[in-house]
Amino acid sequence: MKKIIIDTDPGIDDAMAIHLAFAHPDLEVVGLTSIFGNVHVPIATRNALALAEMAGSDCPVAEGAETPLVQPQHPPGYFVHGDDGFGNSGVIEPKGGKDPRGAAQFIVDSINAHPGEITLCPIGPLTNIALALRLDPSIASKTAGVVVMGGAVETPGNVTEYAEANIWHDPHAAAEVFATDWPMTLIGLDVTEVVRCTPEDFDALEATSPRIGSFLNRAVQFYFEWHRTKPHYAHGPFEGCFMHDPSAVLAITNPEFFTFRETPIVVETDGERIGQTARASQGVPVKVALEVDAQAVRAAFLKFTSQADSQRG
Ligand code: RIB
Ligand code: CA
C-alpha cells in the first residue's frame, strides 16, 4: 500500500481521481487538502469532505489557500466544472468538518509523522505545496514522491496556448515547487489529453457502481458538454473527456503505463507565456511523462472505480 495525500480543487476530474484512489487496493489516502482553482477554496473543501464521506472514508480534509502566492486570483473554472464543482449535479453538504489545521500544516505534519512513506499527489494549483515547503523545507527529503497533474511541455496549454490550468492559477507557487530538490513526476497535458473516456464508459460505471458511479455519471455530463463544444489549442471538440487527474493517480500505482524523460523544467512567471512549463538546460531534474499507454490508464480507471461502491475509502 502506498500512502498518498491528494491536494485537490474538486472539480469533476478531481472527483474521478479521488474515488479511484479510495477504491484502489494499492493506495491508502492519508488525507485530502483543498485548493482554489476549479472552484473557490470553501467549495473545494466542501466537495472534498463530501467525496470522502461518499467513499466511506474518515480521512482528514484540511483546507488550503484561498489565493495564489503573488498574482491576483483568476476566476474559477466554473465553465468547465459547474458552479458547484460537480457539473451542477447538485450541492452535497458533508456531515463532518474540516481538519483544524490548514493544508500546509497538515502536509508537513503527515510527512514528518511518516518520513519516506508519503507520496503527494497535487491535482490543482500548487500553492499549498509551496506553502508546505516554506513552512518546513526539510519535508523535501522525507517525501516519497510528488506526482503532479499539471503543465504542458511538448504540447500547447489549455488556458492559453502556453499554460495549463493548474500552473496558470499560480505560476509562482509552481516555480518554487519545480525548483525543489525532491523526487517529482509531472503528468501534464502531453499525456492527460491522450487519456480519454466516453459517455458509454460512465454509463458502465453507473451500472457496476450504482451509488458512486451514478454520482460520477451525473457530474461528468457537464464536463462532456465542454469537450463537445469548446475548441482546444491542440485538439478539436470530441465526444468524451480528458482524464487529467485520474492519470496522475495511476502514475503512482502504475508508472509503467507512462514513458518519462528526466529534465529540468522552468516555469514562466510573467509576460505573455506566464504559466508555461518548458524544458530547461539547468535545474532540478523532473520526471516528465511524454507518452502514455492510454488504453491501460483508461482500463485501470474503469476497473478500480467500478468497485468504488464496495470498497471502503
Ligand atoms: O488542466 C487540467 C487540470 O485543471 C485538472 O486538474 C482539472 O481538474 C483542473 O484543475
Ligand atoms: Ca484538478
Side-chain angles (χ1 to χ4, degrees):
M1 293 276 271
K2 289 186 177 178
K3 296 181 188 299
I4 67 170
I5 293 174
I6 300 176
D7 189 64
T8 176
D9 58 339
I12 296 169
D13 61 323
D14 300 69
M16 298 175 192
I18 289 167
H19 277 310
L20 164 66
F22 279 130
H24 201 295
D26 298 344
L27 294 175
E28 176 191 348
V29 181
V30 170
L32 302 176
T33 52
S34 63
I35 187 64
F36 66 88
N38 292 330
V39 293
H40 286 298
V41 75
I43 295 177
T45 307
R46 181 195 71 202
N47 289 351
L49 282 164
L51 292 167
E53 290 177 7
M54 203 186 298
S57 170
D58 59 1
C59 79
V61 175
E63 186 158 87
E66 293 203 33
T67 57
L69 293 186
V70 175
Q71 69 185 17
Q73 184 178 6
H74 289 307
Y78 290 130
F79 55 97
V80 181
H81 296 269
D83 294 339
D84 61 6
F86 287 158
N88 295 333
S89 63
V91 171
I92 304 173
E93 286 299 345
K95 296 178 180 59
K98 62 190 177 185
D99 191 278
R101 292 164 291 181
Q105 190 64 61
F106 175 76
I107 290 168
V108 165
D109 290 350
S110 301
I111 290 172
N112 282 322
H114 303 279
E117 293 182 46
I118 290 181
T119 296
L120 295 178
C121 187
I123 54 175
L126 292 169
T127 317
N128 293 336
I129 311 303
L131 291 172
L133 285 164
R134 288 184 178 182
L135 184 63
D136 180 357
S138 78
I139 64 169
S141 63
K142 304 170 197 168
T143 303
V146 188
V147 180
V148 173
M149 191 282 131
V153 177
E154 296 187 356
T155 194
N158 58 2
V159 176
T160 72
E161 62 183 294
Y162 307 108
E164 177 279 327
N166 290 338
I167 308 299
W168 178 77
H169 273 294
D170 195 343
H172 299 88
E176 290 188 18
V177 171
F178 279 70
T180 301
D181 186 4
W182 59 353
M184 186 162 151
T185 298
L186 188 64
I187 305 299
L189 301 184
D190 305 83
V191 293
T192 65
E193 289 186 344
V194 180
V195 183
R196 303 179 181 192
C197 277
T198 65
E200 293 74 21
D201 288 332
F202 281 87
D203 289 339
L205 266 188
E206 179 162 359
T208 52
S209 178
R211 190 168 53 84
I212 290 176
S214 63
F215 157 74
L216 289 175
N217 200 15
R218 285 195 308 276
V220 78
Q221 299 309 312
F222 190 89
Y223 198 46
F224 286 143
E225 193 51 34
W226 185 71
H227 288 80
R228 276 186 203 107
T229 58
K230 297 293 180 295
H232 299 264
Y233 290 101
H235 308 281
F238 66 95
E239 191 66 22
C241 66
F242 297 131
M243 298 298 282
H244 301 297
D245 293 341
S247 297
V249 170
L250 287 163
I252 297 169
T253 58
N254 298 89
E256 71 278 9
F257 291 166
F258 300 84
T259 303
F260 299 99
R261 180 184 188 124
E262 293 255 352
T263 173
I265 293 289
V266 64
V267 182
E268 289 297 338
T269 54
D270 59 29
E272 181 199 16
R273 296 180 176 232
I274 190 167
Q276 185 178 43
T277 46
R279 285 169 48 186
S281 54
Q282 293 178 336
V284 176
V286 174
K287 267 178 70 176
V288 178
L290 291 175
E291 293 177 1
V292 61
D293 180 343
Q295 285 316 313
V297 173
R298 170 181 166 272
F301 167 73
L302 295 172
K303 173 185 173 185
F304 294 111
T305 310
S306 69
Q307 298 158 18
D309 278 8
S310 56
Q311 301 290 329
R312 287 203 61 79

